[in-house]
Amino acid sequence: MELSRKSSEVSISFLPVCVEVTILLTGFNLQGLNIATATSVVRGNDTDQQALLQFKAKITGDPLKIMESWNSSIHFCQWRGITCGRKHPRITKLELPSLKLSGSLSPYIGNLSFLMELNLSGNGFYNEIPQEIGHLRRLKTLEMTNNSVSGEIPSNLSACSKLIWLHMADNQLTGEIPASLGLLSNLKVLGVYDTRLTGSIPPSLGNLSSLETISFASNSLSGIIPEALGRLTNLSFFAVGENEISGIVPVSMFNLSNLMAFDIGGNKIQGTLHSDIEFTMPNVEIFSIRGNQISGQIPISISNASNLNVLQVYDNRLSGSVPSLEKLDKLKIPPQVLGIPSLTILLILSLNHLTGELPVEVEKLKNLGELDLSHNKLSGMLPKSLGSCASLEKLFLEGNLFERSIPSSLSSLRGLEALDISDNNLSGEIPIYLVNFGALKFLNLSFNDFEGVLPSEGVFKNLSYQSLLRATDGFATHNLVGSGNFGYVYKGILEESGVSIAVKVLTAVSGVDYKGNDFKALVYEFMQNGSLEDWLHQSITMNEPETSTKHEFLSKI
């Protein structure tokens, strides 16, 4: 910036000298010099204006009538979305975001040689990006998100050497990421997500030392994460989730100290997270490796991420106990996964092979909004310390081996909106304090060994009736499979789980129907063959295992 300003000052100070010399040298035609200069300026203006008119000609949809201002009654520098330079009437910015425009991009856009910012996001532009865009050598910002642009990313974008911001997300782009983008030495933001890119991430991107953001999420990329990306010391945002990327995560990626978001979820990445990995991402706030094939244990050093507020490692092959605060060496003990106080949004460890008890250190997650430990092999009692997580809004513990009763300390979790502890070995009575959870919208207590009376107020009010009414299609006659002295039996399918059930309207699940009448019913898993009595009272001589049933207590409002 300083060099450019000084150059302008030199040019301005040089002009009077030229004029003075021209006056003294009478052989020169001063008037002709002025005419030539004026003609040059007009020619430049005409080029820009014609390029804009060609751009306008390709617009096929303009419901807000934005293009009506693009007419000869006013100078093109005053047209909607146009900014010109201060010292010359040449276009430096073309900004028309979210104006419901549609059409294709004119190749004449490449004639706007002074253009520094092009923002057409949030419109309906389609067809390919013209190769002529590579002629914009002064371009610093290219923003094309949320359109319907197709074709490949122009490889000659590398000629736009001053480009800082390149954002083409949410389009229909195809082909591979051009390796030539690795020549954009000034690039800081590279976002091409929610498109249809294929191929692999080019290692040449590792040469972009200024790069701060990489987002290629939700494409069809394959290959591996290049080792070269571990050199991007200024990288703060890395998201390549929802692709087909395989291989392992380069260890060097864990040493990028400026990273604030790291998301590789939803790929085919393998490898082991060894407990001795040196996890040095002190500024990371979001860390997600969900939905891969990563095995091993959760590295203890992840606790070095003191700013972490979202941790997603679910749906992998992680094993071993959830780390606790036991002393492992003579060094100062850092807090472990369940003791990171900065976790305020998500902690999801579900769909792994975690074993052992839920450590009491869970009490340190006082500000956490969602805790999901479902579908593991956790066992033992639910710790009383879980009641200290007073900010919890969602708690998912289903599909484990937890046993005995629900601790009374959970009564402090009054902000819960969703609670699922189904498919465990829990027993005892259903806590009456759940009726006071006014924010509770989803409750699943099914497939446990609870006993006693089901509460009838709060979230429990009308719950058998609502779920069973939907499951049996309003107790329709076509779902009636039997009748007897004690009531009718209907076949149904629970919409929440898809489980087939037999509903005998009688005594176990109680509530009121929509008319205020008492409603009582027994709910069993539906058996395809034979009567309910045959299955409940099988003869020992049948040499078949006895079956057991579990009551379904499910509420989804």
Side-chain angles (χ1 to χ4, degrees):
M1 182 65 72
E2 185 65 25
L3 179 60
S4 175
R5 187 172 53 121
K6 288 183 178 179
S7 299
S8 299
E9 291 173 353
V10 170
S11 300
I12 292 172
S13 63
F14 182 69
L15 181 59
V17 177
C18 292
V19 174
E20 182 179 355
V21 170
T22 304
I23 293 174
L24 293 175
L25 299 176
T26 55
F28 287 90
N29 188 337
L30 182 59
Q31 184 177 4
L33 177 64
N34 290 337
I35 292 174
T37 304
T39 303
S40 176
V41 172
V42 171
R43 186 178 298 116
N45 289 347
D46 184 65
T47 299
D48 284 3
Q49 184 173 3
Q50 290 302 315
L52 290 181
L53 291 176
Q54 292 293 334
F55 177 88
K56 178 181 178 179
K58 292 287 187 177
I59 300 295
T60 58
D62 182 16
L64 301 181
K65 302 186 184 303
I66 302 302
M67 292 291 104
E68 287 188 357
S69 71
W70 288 30
N71 59 69
S72 58
S73 64
I74 56 176
H75 194 275
F76 65 80
C77 287
Q78 296 178 314
W79 290 357
R80 177 76 179 269
I82 300 301
T83 301
C84 291
R86 295 179 180 179
K87 297 181 180 179
H88 47 74
R90 301 298 301 273
I91 298 171
T92 58
K93 296 181 181 181
L94 173 54
E95 301 172 295
L96 297 168
S98 304
L99 294 176
K100 300 183 179 181
L101 297 172
S102 59
S104 58
L105 294 175
S106 169
Y108 280 86
I109 201 170
N111 289 348
L112 300 175
S113 56
F114 279 74
L115 196 65
M116 291 188 289
E117 294 187 22
L118 176 60
N119 186 350
L120 302 176
S121 62
N123 286 293
F125 288 99
Y126 49 83
N127 290 340
E128 298 183 358
I129 299 174
Q131 288 287 329
E132 286 77 4
I133 204 166
H135 298 164
L136 303 177
R137 304 301 171 88
R138 292 178 170 87
L139 194 65
K140 294 182 178 180
T141 298
L142 177 56
E143 176 61 81
M144 289 291 300
T145 59
N146 194 18
N147 280 281
S148 298
V149 176
S150 58
E152 299 183 357
I153 300 173
S155 59
N156 66 350
L157 270 178
S158 58
C160 303
S161 59
K162 295 185 178 182
L163 204 59
I164 296 175
W165 181 286
L166 176 56
H167 212 190
M168 297 182 174
D170 198 6
N171 278 287
Q172 299 177 20
L173 294 169
T174 56
E176 300 186 1
I177 303 169
S180 59
L181 296 185
L183 298 174
L184 297 173
S185 58
N186 293 304
L187 197 64
K188 291 185 177 181
V189 174
L190 177 56
V192 195
Y193 52 89
D194 286 332
T195 61
R196 301 175 182 177
L197 296 179
T198 55
S200 58
I201 301 173
S204 60
L205 298 184
N207 298 327
L208 304 179
S209 58
S210 298
L211 205 57
E212 297 175 359
T213 295
I214 293 179
S215 182
F216 296 136
S218 299
N219 280 286
S220 298
L221 298 176
S222 56
I224 64 172
I225 299 176
E227 179 76 32
L229 299 188
R231 301 198 300 261
L232 300 177
T233 56
N234 288 311
L235 197 64
S236 62
F237 188 98
F238 182 73
V240 296
E242 308 304 328
N243 281 287
E244 301 291 328
I245 298 172
S246 58
I248 64 173
V249 181
V251 176
S252 57
M253 294 293 291
F254 294 105
N255 296 324
L256 297 177
S257 59
N258 287 316
L259 267 178
M260 299 179 66
F262 181 81
D263 184 0
I264 60 171
N267 281 288
K268 298 179 179 180
I269 296 173
Q270 299 176 334
T272 301
L273 289 182
H274 297 288
S275 59
D276 59 350
I277 283 181
E278 195 60 38
F279 190 96
T280 53
M281 295 182 181
N283 298 308
V284 72
E285 299 177 7
I286 299 173
F287 184 81
S288 178
I289 60 171
R290 60 192 165 76
N292 281 287
Q293 301 170 20
I294 297 172
S295 58
Q297 295 186 351
I298 301 172
I300 294 173
S301 57
I302 200 172
S303 61
N304 293 331
S306 57
N307 294 320
L308 190 65
N309 53 51
V310 173
L311 176 59
Q312 296 178 318
V313 298
Y314 64 90
D315 196 12
N316 276 285
R317 299 175 180 175
L318 300 176
S319 60
S321 300
V322 177
S324 64
L325 288 178
E326 58 184 313
K327 189 170 184 178
L328 299 177
D329 51 38
K330 297 181 180 180
L331 301 176
K332 183 178 180 181
I333 305 171
Q336 304 300 325
V337 172
L338 296 181
I340 302 176
S342 61
L343 282 170
T344 58
I345 301 178
L346 293 175
L347 173 56
I348 305 183
L349 306 177
S350 61
L351 293 165
N352 284 292
H353 301 286
L354 302 174
T355 60
E357 297 184 352
L358 178 58
V360 296
E361 286 78 11
V362 72
E363 67 184 0
K364 295 192 175 182
L365 301 176
K366 299 182 185 299
N367 299 311
L368 188 66
E370 179 176 339
L371 176 60
D372 190 346
L373 303 175
S374 62
H375 301 290
N376 281 288
K377 297 179 180 180
L378 300 174
S379 58
M381 295 180 60
L382 293 177
K384 297 178 180 179
S385 59
L386 190 58
S388 298
C389 304
S391 297
L392 276 180
E393 296 178 352
K394 297 178 181 180
L395 177 59
F396 301 109
L397 302 174
E398 72 271 19
N400 281 288
L401 302 171
F402 292 118
E403 58 187 9
R404 301 182 68 176
S405 61
I406 301 174
S408 59
S409 61
L410 266 61
S411 61
S412 62
L413 305 182
R414 294 186 174 241
L416 278 180
E417 298 176 0
L419 174 61
D420 194 337
I421 54 176
S422 63
D423 198 13
N424 278 284
N425 297 320
L426 296 169
S427 59
E429 296 185 352
I430 296 174
I432 191 65
Y433 57 73
L434 291 176
V435 303
N436 298 320
F437 283 24
L440 199 58
K441 298 178 181 178
F442 178 87
L443 175 64
N444 193 347
L445 309 176
S446 62
F447 299 103
N448 282 289
D449 294 317
F450 293 122
E451 58 186 7
V453 179
L454 184 69
S456 58
E457 298 299 323
V459 70
F460 297 94
K461 190 174 184 179
N462 301 333
L463 76 87
S464 307
Y465 191 73
Q466 296 175 30
S467 294
L468 298 181
L469 188 71
R470 294 191 296 267
T472 59
D473 195 18
F475 296 103
T477 55
H478 63 263
N479 282 325
L480 182 65
V481 294
S483 62
N485 294 332
F486 297 99
Y488 298 92
V489 180
Y490 296 87
K491 178 184 177 181
I493 299 177
L494 291 172
E495 65 180 11
E496 294 85 357
S497 61
V499 174
S500 296
I501 58 172
V503 183
K504 185 170 185 178
V505 180
L506 186 63
T507 60
V509 177
S510 63
V512 293
D513 63 18
Y514 290 134
K515 296 181 180 179
N517 302 316
D518 287 341
F519 174 81
K520 300 179 184 295
L522 277 168
V523 183
Y524 298 98
E525 184 177 355
F526 183 80
M527 304 296 183
Q528 283 287 354
N529 301 311
S531 68
L532 182 61
E533 182 175 357
D534 291 339
W535 283 97
L536 292 178
H537 304 287
Q538 296 182 61
S539 170
I540 299 178
T541 59
M542 293 175 66
N543 295 322
E544 294 184 5
E546 294 187 6
T547 60
S548 62
T549 60
K550 295 184 179 181
H551 294 172
E552 182 83 9
F553 299 122
L554 180 65
S555 172
K556 184 177 182 181
I557 301 174

